[in-house]
Amino acid sequence: MRILVLSEMFPRPTNPVLGGFVLSECKALSRHGVRFGAISPIPYSPRLLWRYPRWRRYGETPPR
């Protein structure tokens, strides 16, 4: 079985602890033979807003 996880809260390089519970659930499912893919959308952040830390993190998050 394959599952696609769509979650705004999923660990990413700029915030590795974000949504750790989602990742742990996926790992638990994979131990039972379930394969999963994950999509974690982030808001678009133009450079003009990068002076604010929150928006800078969004802009510095790699697209994949």
Side-chain angles (χ1 to χ4, degrees):
M1 180 189 318
R2 296 185 316 182
I3 294 178
L4 177 63
V5 177
L6 178 59
S7 175
E8 175 181 293
M9 296 179 61
F10 201 79
R12 44 182 76 121
T14 56
N15 192 351
V17 296
L18 177 71
F21 62 93
V22 177
L23 182 60
S24 64
E25 287 179 358
C26 292
K27 287 181 178 180
L29 287 171
S30 69
R31 286 193 293 268
H32 294 284
V34 176
R35 292 178 23 201
F36 75 93
I39 296 176
S40 181
I42 58 169
Y44 171 70
S45 173
R47 282 196 183 269
L48 180 64
L49 297 176
W50 282 22
R51 63 180 157 199
Y52 305 108
R54 175 181 176 188
W55 289 100
R56 177 179 291 276
R57 282 194 310 268
Y58 288 144
E60 291 174 343
T61 301
R64 296 192 181 266

